[in-house]
Amino acid sequence: MLDESRHAHDLLTGRLSLRRPSPDDIDAIHAIHSDPATCLHNPSDALSKREEATELFHRWDDHWQRFGYGYWTVRRQGSDRPLGFCGTKTMDLNGMSVLNLFYRFETSSWGQGLATEAATAVVDWVTQRAPELPVIARVRPANTASQRVAIRAGLVRAAHLDLPGEDGLGWIYAKNLHH
Ligand SMILES: CC(C)(COP(=O)(O)OP(=O)(O)OC[C@H]1O[C@@H](n2cnc3c(N)ncnc32)[C@H](O)[C@@H]1OP(=O)(O)O)[C@@H](O)C(=O)NCCC(=O)NCCS
């Protein structure tokens, strides 16, 4: 099943398969982003209506079309059920082009090292694919789990880049900063 839809940009880790999102993933985008627990630290990311998940999917898909990478849907190998999403998108950070690292998983999958496994694969892949771009994560100060994932994926704290965001101060973690 998985093999029929494998593409060059699919990523495989020890336990996980990461695939470019398809419209079939909109239900999972909606379910995961409408659970208040997954947006506790980033309430501005929370979705309520399914149409918002459809719009979000299209934004993710546009990024894939423009850049050839973006956010992946994460599943256990051999399973069709999405566990979450992990990837990067281009953004401007204080006038610098960077790749913003993202991860959000359903709560039942937490605490098994899965986000770390996915984020590590994503960071390694984008660092090879776009070595000129720093990879950053913007993390709310109380979001310890997310900070740990960023560090495990090879990013280091870059406090000089901290900046306010929609949900409050974002602590910046970075890899591949050129200055
Ligand atoms: C952040 C998130 C993706 C982590 O997923 P996960 O699969 O549980 O992460 P892992 O199992 O790989 O654990 C990573 C580390 O965080 C730690 N951790 C996990 N949950 C934690 C918690 N609630 N509090 C403190 N530490 C926690 C783990 O012990 C591990 O630490 P270690 O590297 O020192 O061993 C998940 O909690 C999530 O989806 N949160 C909501 C979305 C979100 O906040 N995204 C980030 C926005 S910046």
Side-chain angles (χ1 to χ4, degrees), residues 15-16 31-33 35-42 76 81-85 103-116 142-146 149:
R15 291 175 290 178
L16 302 172
I32 291 171
H33 288 80
D35 176 352
T38 68
C39 297
L40 182 67
H41 301 283
N42 306 88
R76 279 194 184 268
R81 199 169 69 84
L83 297 179
F85 307 96
Y103 27 78
R104 176 161 288 124
F105 284 72
E106 65 175 20
T107 55
S108 64
S109 74
W110 291 2
Q112 303 170 59
L114 297 177
T116 295
N143 196 351
T144 312
S146 177
V149 174

